[in-house]
């Protein structure tokens, strides 16, 4: 990212530094080692959302009331202004092109970027009014100058189908086309049954193997089996053997490493691998012979691990099942077309998975409640409705088997001294947990939970909070607040604990079709097992490839973590775009909601369908004061209190899909 030299005045005073986060209202916050500061829209100093900035507290004359600065009172977030930009987060911006001779003005799609970027229209005669473009910034805005830039790419016409999602893709710099060399590599891939068996693959085609996925899944990278053995069970976890087809150093491998992850947008998938692999020879489709890496776990009757083995295998899935089918069976249904011999296995497997879940909880795993919206679109991309996806016993059946396989592979690679990329999750900062405590006190959790232990990061106290919320109206809010307080899981070349899962050793192994770190784990496991990789897809093996080395793995891990964040953000933005577009047809309708955040400008609410929007302070009919510690706002005339976690009835008054913003008023 471009860096900006600090001013001498900034160096002398050692102004606090942090990342600027701009809200929909134009104001922002900067979290610094000296505390969090509120930055009014008029005090941004040309900074963009995501920039690393220096801020300076604004002096307030407390003897003279200053409208809009009541948050400078004791206990409120202090106001500050941006005095310098340390590092820019945006070298390019995606926006809509408007002709205003002699200029072509790019209006950013991201509503948090409040500055238009000016270009010379004469330099871009082929760009038309309304086109969506990417502009590279050549001059950032200052006190007396506008932002300027040069057009790098025309993404599409404003009225073309799917252009809003195209803009999201472009804003996150996601790759949409595979280079010809990578496509050629993928097209050469062959399953080659005889070659696999001759190379030492175990023939497991007689096992009762099945996949369980969402009904709209297109690629199947994991499958399961369960068989009764003497005194217990043999659980089989089978993962698509992507490493056989994606050779290190190939164009296909370079492209997969660059993408690092598949991106699941509201109307399309940007796969990590070409469809010839992701939906073809790698996908564990029913009735098809496929290469896999198998994890056989021997369990006793209580579900405890007695032994584990790893090996390349040849399998043939007997059934493709959906979560809904399996859940209907577990709820006591007839199985909805599931063969009888698989039904019995699913019931036993679910019982084992629930035992795994209880063991993980005893080890300290957190069970955060969450739901995600899945928009339904017609052929034109217009949203027609939505469904909510939540954890069920069917999804937990798969999740806990995959977590077990991931942890067993991590432990094995560590025992063998084999370098790998691990999935790590640090313990939460006590200061972040302390910010949740006032909300829990408002919800009267202090009677049942040791909040001092909670603030100290005691995992059992955090579990107690989650258990206390389970089944209540605020359950998802409590999970959301805890997620905000948690550090984000990431990839690392060093093995460190995974706090959320309560595991000391963990990596990602079970989704190599859509995650590059999983492919790295497959190659590491094959090296330990003595299986060489082919020089070309489906070709003859000529020796095992060396590990990338610690420095190389660290680079891959850092890039994969960054791409995961970009993919998650793009996916969430695309879903919210269509959700807001759908809700635009319900302006004037009343909704149940929960207060998710309070600010000096009002408060945010979250609908049951995950949509969030602002109830502006100006719509409340009286001045309100903010209590940051208790996370409440209080009416200065009526004394009415609005607090985080409170259930409210709100009326939707405006929906702006392009900005992905909703405005509400109290009903």
């Amino acid at each position: 990212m471009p860096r900006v030299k600090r001013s001498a005045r900034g160096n002398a005073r050692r102004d606090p530094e942090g990342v600027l986060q701009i809200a929909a209202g134009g104001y922002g916050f900067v979290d610094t080692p000296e505390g969090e500061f509120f930055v009014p829209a008029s005090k941004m100093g040309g900074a963009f959302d995501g920039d690393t900035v220096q801020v300076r507290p604004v002096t307030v004359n407390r003897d003279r009331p200053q409208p809009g600065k009541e948050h400078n009172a004791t206990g409120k977030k202090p106001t500050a202004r941006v005095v310098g930009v340390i590092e820019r987060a945006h070298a390019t911006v995606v926006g809509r092109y408007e002709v205003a001779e002699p200029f072509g003005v790019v209006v950013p799609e991201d509503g948090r970027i409040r500055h238009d970027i000016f270009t010379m229209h004469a330099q871009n005669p082929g760009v038309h009014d309304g086109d969506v473009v990417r502009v590279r910034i050549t001059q950032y805005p200052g006190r007396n100058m506008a932002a300027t830039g040069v057009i790098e790419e025309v993404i599409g016409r404003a009225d073309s189908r799917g252009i809003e999602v195209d803009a999201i893709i472009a804003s996150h710099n996601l790759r949409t086309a595979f280079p010809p060399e990578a496509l050629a590599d993928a097209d050469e891939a062959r399953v080659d049954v005889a070659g696999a068996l001759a190379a030492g693959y175990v023939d497991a085609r007689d096992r009762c193997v099945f996949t369980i996925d969402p009904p709209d899944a297109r690629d199947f990278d994991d499958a399961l089996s369960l068989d009764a053995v003497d005194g217990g069970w043999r659980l089989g976890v089978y993962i698509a053997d992507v490493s056989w087809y994606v050779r290190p150093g190939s164009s296909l491998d370079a492209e997969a490493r660059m993408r690092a992850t598949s991106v699941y947008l509201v109307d399309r998938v940007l796969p990590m691998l070409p469809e010839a692999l992701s939906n073809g020879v790698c996908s564990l489709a029913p009735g098809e012979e496929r290469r896999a890496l198998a994890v056989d776990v021997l369990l006793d009757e209580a579900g405890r691990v007695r032994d584990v083995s790893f090996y390349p295998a040849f399998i043939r899935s007997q059934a493709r099942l959906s979560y809904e089918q399996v859940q209907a069976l577990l709820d006591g249904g007839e199985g909805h077309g599931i063969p009888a011999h698989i039904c019995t296995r699913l019931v036993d497997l679910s019982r084992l998975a629930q035992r795994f879940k209880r063991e993980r909880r005893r080890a300290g795993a957190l069970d955060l409640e969450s739901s995600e919206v899945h928009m339904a679109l017609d052929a034109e991309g217009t949203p027609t409705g939505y469904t909510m996806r939540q954890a069920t016993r069917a999804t937990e059946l798969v999740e806990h088997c995959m977590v077990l396989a991931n942890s067993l592979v991590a432990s094995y690679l560590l025992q063998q001294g084999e370098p790998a990329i691990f999935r790590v999750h640090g313990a939460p900062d006590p200061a972040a947990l302390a910010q949740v405590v006032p909300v829990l006190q408002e919800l009267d959790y202090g009677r049942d939970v040791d909040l001092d232990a909670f603030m100290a990061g005691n995992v059992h106290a955090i579990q107690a909070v989650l258990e206390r919320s389970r089944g209540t109206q605020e359950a998802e809010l409590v999970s959301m607040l805890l997620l905000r307080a948690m550090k984000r899981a990431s990839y690392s070349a060093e093995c460190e604990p995974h706090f959320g899962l309560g595991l000391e050793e963990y990596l990602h192994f079970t989704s190599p079709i859509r995650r590059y770190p999983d492919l790295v784990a497959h190659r590491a496991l094959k090296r330990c097992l003595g299986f060489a990789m082919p020089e070309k897809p489906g070709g003859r093996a000529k020796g095992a490839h060396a590990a990338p080395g610690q420095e190389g793995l660290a680079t891959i891990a850092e890039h994969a973590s960054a791409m995961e964040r970009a993919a998650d953000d793009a996916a969430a933005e695309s879903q919210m775009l269509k959700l807001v577009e759908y809700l635009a047809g319900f302006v004037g309708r009343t909704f149940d909601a929960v207060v998710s955040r309070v600010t000096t400008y009002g408060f945010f609410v979250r609908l049951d369908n995950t949509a969030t929007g602002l109830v502006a302070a100006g719509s409340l009919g009286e001045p309100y004061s903010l209590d940051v510690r208790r996370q409440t706002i209080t009416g200065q005339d009526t004394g009415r209190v609005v607090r985080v976690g409170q259930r409210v009835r709100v009326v939707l008054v405006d929906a702006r899909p392009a900005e992905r913003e909703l405005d509400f008023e109290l009903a």
Side-chain angles (χ1 to χ4, degrees), residues 20-97:
L20 175 64
Q21 293 182 310
I22 298 180
Y27 56 91
F29 298 91
V30 180
D31 194 5
T32 77
E34 290 82 359
E36 188 174 31
F37 293 88
F38 168 83
V39 182
S42 60
K43 305 293 184 183
M44 293 294 175
F48 290 2
D49 178 72
D51 288 351
T52 302
V53 299
Q54 287 176 311
V55 294
R56 186 167 299 159
V58 175
T59 303
V60 176
N61 185 343
R62 299 193 186 282
D63 296 327
R64 185 179 65 196
Q66 295 175 283
K69 293 185 180 178
E70 63 270 15
H71 39 269
N72 285 276
T74 303
K76 310 297 174 67
K77 291 180 181 178
T79 298
R81 61 187 177 93
V82 175
V83 295
V85 179
I86 307 303
E87 186 172 2
R88 291 285 184 178
H90 303 271
T92 62
V93 169
V94 173
R96 294 177 186 268
Y97 191 82

Side-chain angles (χ1 to χ4, degrees), residues 2 68 90 185 246 252 283 423 445 480 518 526 569 638 656-657:
H90 303 271
D185 284 350
V246 182
L252 182 58
S283 184
R423 186 69 170 175
Y445 276 39
M480 183 178 66
D518 301 56
K526 277 191 171 180
D569 290 346
T638 64
R656 299 180 297 282

Side-chain angles (χ1 to χ4, degrees), residues 494-574:
E494 302 291 339
C495 183
E496 297 173 357
H498 194 296
F499 181 83
L501 294 176
L503 293 169
E504 294 295 315
E505 302 162 349
Y506 193 69
L507 55 65
H508 277 165
F509 167 81
T510 53
S511 294
I513 288 178
R514 62 183 181 90
R515 293 188 304 224
Y516 194 81
D518 301 56
L519 176 55
V520 173
H522 278 230
R523 290 170 176 164
L525 181 59
K526 277 191 171 180
R527 281 192 294 271
C528 289
L529 298 175
F531 277 84
M533 253 71 78
E535 289 297 323
K536 61 187 300 183
R540 195 161 55 104
K542 294 186 178 180
H545 288 265
Q550 204 68 10
E551 185 175 341
L553 288 174
T555 300
I556 295 171
E558 182 179 3
H559 176 70
S561 296
M563 292 307 299
E564 178 187 55
R565 290 191 293 272
D568 288 348
D569 290 346
E573 288 173 24
S574 72

Side-chain angles (χ1 to χ4, degrees), residues 30 192 221 239 278 304 341 348 362 396 415 419 486 517:
V30 180
D192 186 16
D221 51 12
I239 310 302
S278 60
R304 292 184 292 261
H341 67 288
D348 290 333
R362 277 193 281 270
E396 289 178 343
Q415 291 167 9
M486 296 288 173

Side-chain angles (χ1 to χ4, degrees), residues 252-370:
L252 182 58
D253 182 53
E255 183 69 15
R257 182 185 297 195
M258 185 73 69
R259 295 181 178 226
T261 181
S262 296
V263 186
Y264 296 89
L265 301 165
V266 67
D267 63 347
R268 71 196 78 170
V269 177
L270 304 180
M272 186 181 79
L273 300 173
E275 287 201 10
L277 295 179
S278 60
N279 295 342
V281 296
C282 289
S283 184
L284 307 182
E288 300 291 342
E289 296 173 323
R290 291 290 184 257
R291 294 174 183 262
L293 273 184
V295 181
D296 270 0
V297 189
L298 291 181
L299 305 163
D300 64 17
E301 280 288 351
R304 292 184 292 261
V305 177
R306 297 190 321 199
D307 195 12
V308 61
S309 58
F310 311 95
Y311 55 91
F314 225 84
I315 66 168
R316 183 192 294 115
S317 173
Q318 293 190 11
R320 172 197 169 183
L321 309 177
S322 71
Y323 288 128
E324 289 76 7
Q325 277 181 295
V326 175
Q327 187 58 42
L329 169 69
L330 299 178
D331 286 340
E334 296 299 322
H336 295 275
I338 304 176
H341 67 288
I342 295 181
C343 286
T344 57
R345 286 172 164 86
L346 288 170
V347 172
D348 290 333
L349 194 49
S350 177
R351 186 168 61 251
L352 285 170
Q354 292 304 309
R355 290 176 182 172
F356 298 159
K357 179 180 179 179
R358 289 192 294 271
E359 286 301 316
R360 285 180 54 209
R361 277 184 55 79
R362 277 193 281 270
L366 302 180
D367 188 15
L368 296 168
E369 287 199 12
S370 65

Side-chain angles (χ1 to χ4, degrees), residues 583-594:
L583 290 174
F586 295 86
V587 170
R589 187 75 59 87
T590 300
F591 294 88
D592 290 316
V594 63

